[in-house]
Amino acid sequence: MIGSPDLVAFTKEDDFGDSFSDRWSLPDEFSVPLFTHAANANPWTKTSYAKFSKDFILISEFSEQVGPQPLLTIPNDPKVCGTFDLNYFSLRIMSVDYQASFVGHPPGSNYPKLNFVEDSKVVLGDSKEGAFAYVHHLTLYDLEARGFVRPFCMAYISADERKIMQQFQELSSEFSKASECLKLGNRKAFANELVKKLKDLEYTRSVLNKETELQKMNNGCYSTQAIEKANELANVEKSIYEHKDLLWQITSYPSRKKKDMDLVQCEVEKPADASVLDDGDTLTSNCFENADKTMEAESDGPSRKSSYTPQLINAKSAKCFDKRLKTLEELCDTHFFRQTLEQLNLIEKLFRGDLCLIYTSQIDRALLNKQRVTSFLFESEQDCGEGLSKSFNTSTNNPPIPILNLSGKPLSLVSHTTCVDMYHMKPGVEMMEGPPESSASDITQETSEAADTETKGSFSSDKSIEALVGASPSSLQPNCFEVLERKSKVFIASSSEDLNVIKSNAVPHGTSDRSSSEVFGTKNIIPMDTACCIGQEGFIYEETLPEIAQECCGDTVVNQEPLSLLQGDSTLQMDYILEAPNMGLHFSELNISALSEEVARINIEDASDSTSYMSASTSSDRAASPFTYGSVITMKQKKKAGHSTLRFIRQYPFAQQAIFCLLSGRTLVILGVDEGTVRKLVNALFIFVPNLGKYGESVQPWLSTPFQLTDLQRWKLIGLQRATSPAGSSIFHSLNRYSRYISILDCDNKTLRCPSYKGMLISLMADHRTQIKRGSTYFLHVQSMLTQLTAKAFLYTFCHHIHLPMDINDQGSVTSRRTNFLSQLGYTVEESQIVQYLSELIKRHYVQGPSKGVIQSFFIYNYTTSYLYKI
Amino acid sequence: MLRWILGGRDAQGAVEKSAVLFIGEEQPKNCFTEMQVLKGHFDIVRFLVQIDDLRFASADDDGLVLIWNVETGDCLLELRGHTQQITAMMSYTLIRGGNVHTALITASSDRTLSLWDPDTGNRVQNVSDLQSSVKCLLVLDRLNVWLSGGNELCVWNRDFDLQCKTVHHSDAGISAMVEIPKNFIAAAIDKEIVIFKLNVSGSDIAVMAVRHLADHQDTIRSLIKINDRLFASGSHIGELILWDSVDWTIQAYELILWEEPVGDEVRLTNQKQIERSIQHMSSDGEIIVAAVGSGLYVYNVPMKSVVAYRKIAHDSNILHTMLQQDGQLMSCSEDGSVRIWELQDLPLTAEPASSGFFGMFGTFGRSSKQNSPPAKKLPAVPGLRSLELTGDLIGHSGAVQMFLSFKEKGLVTCSTDHLVIVWKDGELQSQLRSLALFQKLEDNQGL
């Protein structure tokens, strides 16, 4: 009564008011200034002062005609960029292209050389604009372009500086995929262009030849016209040689293993044998034939060869600059261009949202990756994290982040030194750079491959690898031609001795990208624009990595709050990055799991074959059900199912027994007349099925035919139609026959026939008086308990002393040790059964690998009495 | 049992056969708690043959033979070549160049005989255009020959060369053969047992029939060797005769007569015929287990007396039996189940058949025989033991044709439902998987 408002009105305001407010408001030291609330603005948004509303990807080109220009943005929505000046920003990001990629005549050689330049990746900050960008430079080849190259760049632009900085590796790896795809298409298109050009030149030569002969006949050998014609002819011939050489170079682009490059499915075949190189024409038509099969648009090969009519080329205007330049799509071949756009869209999706969110999910994923041994039991497949989790695996070292600060204001990272290396290597060297992480003793094929792709993805050494093999083109060359002028400066190892020196330097160092400045410091350093910096301090923690990784175990990772990890993130990342080679699972694992998916799919088909009369569903519940054939069960669906589960445990007092059956591997048959009801119950219970499978292969949500013995081996949760037809009686026959292997939940009579369960574990998991209201919360509750259970099953499985006899006569004591172990964990007999079943699954999964998919080769059961539970 | 499922509205009589024996769901003595279903056949699987410790072959009515690994359940090889059903199959151990090599001989209705290499799956030898299809096979290791029995008896050497053969017998043909001492062979042809003699002179082998034993009243269904001195034959009407292997005289004669249940006459006579047929016998040298109709009959050879019996051991005819060392025996039946039995001493007070559930059985001797058995064996004979059901294996949905024991590695069953199932001791398998896990852990040096 004392606190009632009318009473307060009659008291002295200052006295009461003070004491009253003191009790309810925070002390001054804890008070937080209120966010200036403005028109529904997101208080957390970093873009509030930036001119764009959310992150986007920008592709720009440094056009030789008009200078830097933006080409496209992803998402392609003008609202995203807002008032942000794309032209201005393009200028900035393109101005930092320090690659100096070019085609030139190396001093020792008379041919233009293509440099297969690694992409460069930098971070660029413009704090004035509130824009920060990851910038990925790449060059594409264009026969009509100056120096045959067209510089492009892809930029991920965000207002959150920390997102760019902390997600650098992931961005780099994802953008590398996109870039690789573009470049692959470009090489193909470039080679096609060269083939055409060569035809033109050959044709021109033949015409000139005739004319020269004519001149000689008419005017004598030394007439001006004859000499002119002869020169012209020589020029054309030189041009032919040059183009042939270019063609040879582009087609002999060093082939690398790009296992992770799932984007680039139609990898262009690299001619391995030099014999094909003798004739440029047949070469290309041959070597692109394979790639062509995938694309109708490009199915040129022999057909275009025949259809293309060569044109006469005026030798003097071999390079013309006033032409319309090709668009990016033309440069890269439509098919590859589309693939690249897909990848870029994926990147946009992947890095959308707050850094904290991205980070948490990455940690989540990384931790899950650690638990390959048990995660198959209850964890669902990651929804879209494929790319990222891969990048975690592949980045076995932590490359430093190069930062460019254009606005002049210092960024949060320390100063960076500059160095860019240009050197030429024989392709052979490239092979040797394969395992750069040779410091680790346990290098496997996988790790070296991982390292290889990683090297490719690194940026600090902008290696340009010349396609130059022992069969030097100089043997083809008539040596009298003048050296063409090149605007770009070239650093070329001019003699083979030099090459050797480089090689011998590069190889022992292995990680040449780490110490490239040391290796090549004496030789070929291009001093770059001071604005272009490559951070060097990243190298420092690379040395201390293993220790950090050792110390930094799971706990530290989880306990650290993601956003506070600006400094600590290196160790965090290290933790799960480094873990990859130890596991020795990643690449082989990926392949195998891909295979097992295949198997799973086949099994599903098989299943639908064998019970081909699987009823055509009429119920609308089907749409809501996660079990559609061949579709992945996602976390989202599981969370949704939590709601049904919650209802189930509130509604059915024997829910615990039903859950016990599922957890202990006894097939639960849900029998009912109404498909909707049965499906709902299946939906409510499937989250408890261990080893559910990526596609939910362990569950058969609706079956209207009698099941077989093999079905029990495959399905752990079955929705079964109760029918009075003859088919129904055979269903009952199978229910009767296999009754010892199954539990039956009759949803019409609300009964459950199953073995009894005693214990606390499941009652904690499925308490019908639970206070949890939301389905997804409940799912997370269940998930955490299942994780706990899994951990115990893991412990049980991998404890030597409860499985291995001390000596030969020890057999009996093993059993007692096992029982003791389980009872010490606090498990009843029934709960021990659960742990033992999970343990068997873990064993099988560990020993056989996931190659066999979800389907078990064996079927475990036990002889126990079933009881009938009623509501 | 399923009345609650059926909601009481369906006539469960059609669904649920009255279980003669229901052991229930608790089976503490049944160690088979894991099964592996092997799919690969597309017809009735009738024969199983062990090749070595790890492998076995299964043959079906399509003429397909599959070789399996019992531990992993992998199908190792498919032997294709026969166009009709396999009628007989056996493993054949050869010693070539000091190496023991096991081959597989199959006989089919397409009148071919084939020798297979179970390592490569190659059909090493093949004989076609036989005059009749072969129904049984027998290896005589001593003589390095093997025999095939169909409408005639053929003797083959190791290289699949026909050494000699008998004249055409009858359309019934030889249904079973056993080897008896001194190069003699006892073969069951319809109601007779014919003794053949193999004359070996140098490399030539000749075969001739020397004696016809026509003591059975009906078709002989099974013929087995008990030990070196005795062999036994069982007929369609329940006659069990023990023969001396040397002088081919009858050592014991039992006519198994399950007590006739009261009921209507016509059905009864039909039933009687089926029920008394001795489908299969197995022996460990001292005890014979005979599958008589759907009942089991255990006979002690030295004592020449019945030890134990179950008139109705299965819901339908028993097709195969097996006697194990530890006093356990197994039977499989057309009802699709395998049952595991244990010979237990009866408590002194209890009447063996007092349950009244399984009825009585009786035997009577035929006075015409020289060693006439006791006229009527009463159930109260001392030494009579009971046959207790200790477990059953349910999985097949058709008649279980036969089984094959791999000792601790498991039990293999084959069935009309095209499936082969390996039943395993779950405890042991779990142990083995743990060992494999720790082995891999060691190989990988950690997780």
Side-chain angles (χ1 to χ4, degrees):
Chain A
M1 279 309 268
I2 257 298
S4 81
D6 17 341
L7 217 78
V8 172
F10 289 104
T11 53
K12 267 199 249 168
E13 257 190 84
D14 35 15
D15 282 350
F16 257 109
D18 277 359
S19 61
F20 187 77
S21 63
D22 269 352
R23 272 170 67 193
W24 297 105
S25 67
L26 280 169
D28 282 345
E29 59 266 35
F30 294 126
S31 69
V32 183
L34 280 177
F35 179 72
T36 42
H37 186 57
N40 280 339
N42 174 6
W44 312 114
T45 181
K46 296 283 196 313
T47 53
S48 50
Y49 51 94
K51 290 171 179 164
F52 49 93
S53 54
K54 61 177 197 172
D55 299 358
F56 64 97
I57 295 169
L58 171 69
I59 299 183
S60 309
E61 184 199 0
F62 193 98
S63 162
E64 59 193 49
Q65 291 171 346
V66 298
Q69 58 169 351
L71 296 180
L72 56 100
T73 61
I74 292 164
N76 193 11
D77 180 5
K79 264 186 252 167
V80 171
C81 312
T83 57
F84 189 69
D85 189 346
L86 289 178
N87 278 310
Y88 172 71
F89 206 75
S90 294
L91 174 67
R92 295 201 134 177
I93 56 178
M94 287 314 290
S95 65
V96 299
D97 176 26
Y98 53 79
Q99 288 205 102
S101 36
F102 47 74
V103 177
H105 284 243
S109 146
N110 293 311
Y111 287 101
K113 289 280 175 285
L114 290 180
N115 286 309
F116 295 109
V117 187
E118 291 289 334
D119 302 345
S120 71
K121 303 148 187 189
V122 290
V123 167
L124 179 146
D126 189 341
S127 43
K128 226 184 285 172
E129 288 279 319
F132 298 87
Y134 163 85
V135 185
H136 193 110
H137 291 281
L138 69 151
T139 50
L140 298 177
Y141 300 107
D142 184 353
L143 203 51
E144 285 147 18
R146 187 180 63 188
F148 302 142
V149 290
R150 303 261 306 265
F152 286 91
C153 97
M154 301 181 283
Y156 185 88
I157 299 162
S158 167
D160 187 356
E161 175 191 348
R162 292 196 294 182
K163 189 196 261 186
I164 303 290
M165 296 306 292
Q166 290 176 23
Q167 297 297 314
F168 181 82
Q169 284 172 63
E170 291 74 37
L171 281 166
S172 152
S173 124
E174 296 301 311
F175 271 102
S176 292
K177 283 181 201 164
S179 158
E180 228 32 67
C181 187
L182 274 182
K183 289 197 284 186
L184 179 65
N186 172 245
R187 281 198 296 277
K188 184 175 142 42
F190 185 60
N192 280 336
E193 209 185 339
L194 274 170
V195 172
K196 273 198 257 175
K197 185 71 181 280
L198 268 170
K199 285 195 185 306
D200 294 348
L201 285 169
E202 303 265 358
Y203 176 70
T204 313
R205 182 173 61 178
S206 67
V207 171
L208 278 176
N209 248 331
K210 273 183 213 152
E211 285 177 2
T212 315
E213 290 303 310
L214 208 68
Q215 289 288 346
K216 276 183 190 168
M217 290 240 287
N218 295 345
N219 305 325
C221 283
Y222 299 101
S223 69
T224 344
Q225 291 95 331
I227 289 172
E228 206 173 87
K229 278 289 166 201
N231 275 339
E232 211 175 304
L233 186 63
N235 270 332
V236 169
E237 252 158 27
K238 177 181 162 262
S239 190
I240 289 177
Y241 279 120
E242 280 180 3
H243 280 86
K244 271 191 181 168
D245 189 56
L246 281 176
L247 181 63
W248 175 78
Q249 288 180 45
I250 196 80
T251 49
S252 59
Y253 174 78
S255 58
R256 304 171 191 195
K257 294 274 176 202
K258 292 186 202 74
K259 282 198 171 174
D260 55 332
M261 292 278 302
D262 40 352
L263 267 177
V264 190
Q265 291 126 340
C266 32
E267 175 85 64
V268 176
E269 297 296 301
K270 314 297 187 311
D273 44 341
S275 62
V276 255
L277 300 176
D278 293 345
D279 188 335
D281 297 359
T282 52
L283 159 76
T284 28
S285 55
N286 282 343
C287 78
F288 286 123
E289 226 157 4
N290 290 344
D292 288 339
K293 279 174 195 159
T294 50
M295 294 152 287
E296 290 99 303
E298 290 293 336
S299 63
D300 37 23
S303 64
R304 192 200 281 187
K305 189 179 159 189
S306 54
S307 66
Y308 181 69
T309 36
Q311 291 160 357
L312 192 66
I313 288 178
N314 186 352
K316 277 171 186 155
S317 66
K319 304 263 180 300
C320 64
F321 293 101
D322 49 352
K323 263 190 172 175
R324 181 192 75 97
L325 284 173
K326 290 192 185 69
T327 64
L328 185 57
E329 189 168 352
E330 285 166 335
L331 267 182
C332 301
D333 171 322
T334 315
H335 173 79
F336 288 95
F337 181 69
R338 282 199 196 127
Q339 274 199 341
T340 310
L341 284 188
E342 264 170 43
Q343 166 71 2
L344 290 176
N345 276 311
L346 189 80
I347 294 175
E348 197 272 323
K349 255 182 222 148
L350 214 54
F351 294 95
R352 199 183 280 173
D354 195 80
L355 174 65
C356 178
L357 211 69
I358 299 174
Y359 226 174
T360 315
S361 69
Q362 280 174 358
I363 292 171
D364 201 31
R365 234 172 279 140
L367 287 176
L368 260 184
N369 262 348
K370 268 189 163 177
Q371 297 168 0
R372 289 276 167 96
V373 179
T374 53
S375 62
F376 71 97
L377 284 176
F378 294 109
E379 301 294 341
S380 56
E381 292 282 325
Q382 292 303 316
D383 298 351
C384 62
E386 277 293 306
L388 267 192
S389 60
K390 264 184 208 169
S391 79
F392 278 126
N393 280 334
T394 51
S395 38
T396 44
N397 67 1
N398 186 26
I401 303 172
I403 295 166
L404 300 166
N405 189 353
L406 289 187
S407 65
K409 274 178 81 178
L411 282 172
S412 53
L413 285 199
V414 219
S415 68
H416 314 285
T417 57
T418 304
C419 96
V420 173
D421 311 305
M422 288 288 296
Y423 59 93
H424 294 260
M425 281 177 150
K426 283 192 173 186
V429 179
E430 218 233 340
M431 314 291 268
M432 280 173 241
E433 91 185 25
E437 316 308 310
S438 46
S439 54
S441 57
D442 56 342
I443 273 216
T444 58
Q445 185 60 34
E446 290 87 28
T447 47
S448 68
E449 270 165 13
D452 188 31
T453 48
E454 208 288 315
T455 313
K456 178 199 69 207
S458 81
F459 47 84
S460 63
S461 73
D462 300 302
K463 296 190 198 85
S464 44
I465 295 120
E466 214 178 12
L468 168 67
V469 202
S472 159
S474 57
S475 52
L476 306 164
Q477 168 101 12
N479 48 15
C480 57
F481 295 119
E482 81 232 293
V483 175
L484 278 177
E485 231 184 53
R486 293 290 162 199
K487 283 165 189 157
S488 325
K489 288 177 191 151
V490 193
F491 288 87
I492 301 264
S494 51
S495 70
S496 60
E497 282 158 288
D498 270 8
L499 280 176
N500 288 337
V501 172
I502 294 171
K503 214 160 108 182
S504 58
N505 276 342
V507 172
H509 275 83
T511 58
S512 49
D513 49 325
R514 186 196 301 185
S515 47
S516 49
S517 60
E518 297 157 33
V519 181
F520 304 103
T522 53
K523 218 162 269 127
N524 306 318
I525 293 182
I526 302 176
M528 293 309 295
D529 187 86
T530 41
C532 315
C533 308
I534 292 176
Q536 287 283 337
E537 96 291 354
F539 299 138
I540 299 161
Y541 38 73
E542 194 161 291
E543 316 301 336
T544 57
L545 273 185
E547 289 80 25
I548 294 168
Q550 292 296 316
E551 291 158 14
C552 195
C553 51
D555 285 355
T556 8
V557 176
V558 181
N559 290 340
Q560 270 171 321
E561 191 248 323
L563 273 179
S564 69
L565 289 177
L566 185 57
Q567 290 308 314
D569 75 314
S570 60
T571 56
L572 168 69
Q573 292 193 357
M574 278 325 102
D575 184 42
Y576 43 76
I577 286 159
L578 263 211
E579 175 272 330
N582 297 341
M583 293 285 286
L585 290 165
H586 31 298
F587 274 107
S588 57
E589 186 89 332
L590 286 173
N591 291 340
I592 288 170
S593 64
L595 184 76
S596 69
E597 275 169 35
E598 204 74 64
V599 171
R601 276 219 178 89
I602 288 166
N603 280 330
I604 283 169
E605 280 164 24
D606 193 14
S608 49
D609 268 1
S610 64
T611 51
S612 55
Y613 4 88
M614 205 118 7
S615 77
S617 162
T618 46
S619 168
S620 58
D621 286 80
R622 187 170 189 146
S625 165
F627 302 98
T628 38
Y629 283 107
S631 71
V632 181
I633 296 216
T634 60
M635 189 65 131
K636 230 181 187 172
Q637 287 166 325
K638 281 190 166 184
K639 278 185 182 166
K640 267 189 189 163
H643 183 68
S644 317
T645 317
L646 207 49
R647 273 191 21 204
F648 173 74
I649 60 166
R650 289 199 175 122
Q651 217 173 339
Y652 292 84
F654 47 72
Q656 292 181 13
Q657 274 77 16
I659 293 168
F660 164 68
C661 291
L662 292 172
L663 288 178
S664 61
R666 191 181 172 104
T667 300
L668 179 67
V669 177
I670 297 171
L671 187 68
V673 174
D674 175 44
E675 182 177 351
T677 321
V678 171
R679 277 183 184 275
K680 246 176 231 162
L681 282 175
V682 169
N683 212 11
L685 283 165
F686 85 93
I687 59 169
F688 296 102
V689 177
N691 195 18
L692 181 66
K694 190 176 177 184
Y695 304 99
E697 299 96 307
S698 304
V699 175
Q700 171 57 261
W702 183 246
L703 185 73
S704 49
T705 54
F707 54 86
Q708 313 289 315
L709 184 66
T710 42
D711 297 336
L712 296 181
Q713 194 169 320
R714 178 170 56 198
W715 296 325
K716 294 296 165 197
L717 179 60
I718 301 175
L720 190 67
Q721 183 182 25
R722 180 205 301 271
T724 43
S725 61
S729 81
S730 62
I731 285 177
F732 290 126
H733 182 69
S734 63
L735 278 179
N736 185 13
R737 180 149 197 93
Y738 302 123
S739 64
R740 66 170 59 171
Y741 306 125
I742 55 173
S743 300
I744 304 166
L745 175 62
D746 184 335
C747 60
D748 302 328
N749 301 321
K750 304 256 193 286
T751 57
L752 174 70
R753 184 185 170 276
C754 72
S756 68
Y757 164 76
K758 288 181 204 77
M760 285 306 290
L761 180 75
I762 297 176
S763 47
L764 287 174
M765 203 181 291
D767 181 6
H768 67 276
R769 286 166 307 193
T770 178
Q771 296 298 309
I772 298 172
K773 298 280 188 297
R774 287 168 56 106
S776 60
T777 316
Y778 178 70
F779 168 73
L780 291 176
H781 166 69
V782 169
Q783 193 70 10
S784 80
M785 299 212 53
L786 290 176
T787 308
Q788 244 176 23
L789 186 64
T790 308
K792 299 228 169 109
F794 176 86
L795 198 63
Y796 174 80
T797 313
F798 285 90
C799 259
H800 282 80
H801 81 284
I802 52 172
H803 296 290
L804 300 179
M806 302 290 185
D807 54 73
I808 307 148
N809 306 320
D810 195 34
Q811 208 59 45
S813 75
V814 172
T815 320
S816 72
R817 278 202 298 270
R818 210 176 291 164
T819 323
N820 282 341
F821 184 86
L822 287 167
S823 66
Q824 271 175 20
L825 286 178
Y827 287 143
T828 61
V829 181
E830 287 84 12
E831 286 159 356
S832 302
Q833 260 178 41
I834 297 177
V835 175
Q836 276 165 340
Y837 173 65
L838 297 183
S839 167
E840 291 304 318
L841 290 177
I842 294 171
K843 282 185 215 168
R844 184 195 69 104
H845 189 263
Y846 184 74
V847 173
Q848 299 180 342
S851 56
K852 288 207 171 177
V854 169
I855 313 307
Q856 279 180 286
S857 54
F858 52 86
F859 171 44
I860 305 168
Y861 54 91
N862 45 29
Y863 302 102
T864 43
T865 313
S866 289
Y867 299 93
L868 187 64
Y869 295 88
K870 286 177 187 155
I871 217 159
Chain B
M1 185 192 75
L2 280 185
R3 188 158 306 163
W4 58 273
I5 295 179
L6 299 156
R9 59 180 169 220
D10 216 335
Q12 70 262 45
V15 176
E16 193 181 352
K17 271 192 178 174
S18 64
V20 179
L21 272 176
F22 185 64
I23 182 173
E25 285 164 323
E26 301 266 7
Q27 299 180 10
K29 284 185 179 172
N30 187 350
C31 68
F32 295 105
T33 55
E34 192 172 313
M35 71 165 95
Q36 200 165 4
V37 181
L38 311 183
K39 281 168 119 177
H41 286 289
F42 297 98
D43 209 333
I44 298 171
V45 190
R46 283 193 203 272
F47 298 101
L48 294 171
V49 164
Q50 184 167 358
I51 295 168
D52 50 33
D53 284 346
L54 217 59
R55 293 179 296 169
F56 67 92
S58 59
D60 71 15
D61 280 4
D62 260 352
L64 174 68
V65 178
L66 299 178
I67 294 177
W68 306 87
N69 179 324
V70 72
E71 280 183 359
T72 62
D74 294 332
C75 181
L76 303 172
L77 287 170
E78 293 186 7
L79 311 183
R80 290 178 192 274
H82 289 297
T83 54
Q84 286 177 42
Q85 75 171 88
I86 306 286
T87 50
M89 177 165 73
M90 69 169 178
S91 65
Y92 185 26
T93 306
L94 303 162
I95 298 172
R96 281 215 169 108
N99 293 330
V100 179
H101 185 78
T102 303
L104 200 65
I105 298 177
T106 54
S108 161
S109 295
D110 60 9
R111 297 188 183 178
T112 56
L113 273 170
S114 298
L115 181 77
W116 306 85
D117 183 347
D119 298 326
T120 61
N122 291 335
R123 195 179 197 174
V124 183
Q125 300 279 357
N126 189 40
V127 180
S128 50
D129 302 326
L130 295 171
Q131 283 175 3
S132 62
S133 65
V134 172
K135 288 178 184 153
C136 56
L137 295 163
L138 180 69
V139 177
L140 300 181
D141 284 325
R142 258 181 321 114
L143 301 176
N144 257 330
V145 295
W146 56 276
L147 316 177
S148 66
N151 285 351
E152 58 272 305
L153 180 71
C154 301
V155 183
W156 310 79
N157 72 2
R158 289 199 313 199
D159 300 319
F160 257 61
D161 298 323
L162 182 64
Q163 301 296 300
C164 56
K165 64 176 191 175
T166 61
V167 289
H168 181 79
H169 285 287
S170 64
D171 287 339
I174 299 170
S175 61
M177 291 186 288
V178 289
E179 182 188 3
I180 48 180
K182 298 177 184 171
N183 294 350
F184 285 103
I185 306 292
I189 302 170
D190 198 17
K191 295 178 189 175
E192 286 187 340
I193 288 176
V194 181
I195 307 292
F196 291 98
K197 181 167 174 55
L198 288 177
N199 287 317
V200 184
S201 55
S203 61
D204 293 336
I205 296 177
V207 63
M208 56 183 289
V210 290
R211 180 83 75 86
H212 290 253
L213 308 170
D215 294 278
H216 275 294
Q217 304 290 308
D218 206 337
T219 312
I220 297 168
R221 292 282 180 213
S222 63
L223 177 70
I224 60 158
K225 181 177 165 177
I226 299 165
N227 50 39
D228 284 344
R229 286 166 291 106
L230 293 167
F231 66 94
S233 60
S235 81
H236 188 68
I237 50 162
E239 302 159 298
L240 172 64
I241 302 181
L242 266 55
W243 305 87
D244 189 300
S245 294
V246 181
D247 57 14
W248 316 314
T249 54
I250 292 177
Q251 295 296 308
Y253 180 95
E254 298 278 338
L255 181 61
I256 299 163
L257 280 179
W258 302 123
E259 188 185 76
E260 290 168 14
V262 274
D264 90 315
E265 289 266 321
V266 187
R267 226 185 90 224
L268 198 132
T269 43
N270 285 341
Q271 232 174 16
K272 210 167 78 182
Q273 293 278 309
I274 303 159
E275 272 187 4
R276 283 158 59 186
S277 170
I278 300 179
Q279 298 286 346
H280 188 264
M281 290 191 289
S282 56
S283 169
D284 64 353
E286 209 169 278
I287 288 175
I288 300 174
V289 179
V292 185
S294 58
L296 277 175
Y297 181 96
V298 183
Y299 188 81
N300 187 312
V301 176
M303 288 165 62
K304 295 203 172 63
S305 66
V306 175
V307 182
Y309 62 90
R310 277 277 186 187
K311 189 191 165 195
I312 304 172
H314 278 272
D315 293 338
S316 110
N317 281 350
I318 295 174
L319 298 176
H320 198 87
T321 56
M322 184 172 59
L323 199 57
Q324 284 177 320
Q325 275 78 10
D326 50 2
Q328 277 200 333
L329 56 100
M330 284 192 203
S331 58
C332 66
S333 146
E334 283 174 359
D335 66 10
S337 68
V338 175
R339 288 187 170 163
I340 306 164
W341 308 86
E342 202 173 65
L343 274 174
Q344 289 176 347
D345 289 324
L346 282 175
L348 286 171
T349 49
E351 286 274 314
S354 61
S355 63
F357 200 60
F358 307 112
M360 305 280 283
F361 91 105
T363 59
F364 65 86
R366 274 163 61 173
S367 50
S368 61
K369 298 299 155 201
Q370 48 269 66
N371 359 2
S372 59
K376 180 121 180 166
K377 275 210 182 85
L378 294 169
V381 167
L384 194 68
R385 304 164 82 191
S386 77
L387 211 49
E388 287 303 319
L389 182 62
T390 58
D392 59 350
L393 307 180
I394 289 178
H396 285 296
S397 53
V400 182
Q401 295 289 337
M402 71 177 285
F403 46 71
L404 187 66
S405 174
F406 274 87
K407 302 281 183 310
E408 72 280 350
K409 280 190 183 121
L411 177 83
V412 187
T413 56
C414 66
S415 158
T416 315
D417 64 4
H418 312 174
L419 296 180
V420 174
I421 298 182
V422 187
W423 307 82
K424 291 175 177 178
D425 181 344
E427 190 77 15
L428 187 71
Q429 292 301 316
S430 164
Q431 193 83 23
L432 290 174
R433 278 192 288 271
S434 277
L435 287 176
L437 176 114
F438 289 120
Q439 185 61 48
K440 188 170 178 187
L441 202 61
E442 209 164 288
D443 294 347
N444 290 357
Q445 299 184 336
L447 288 169

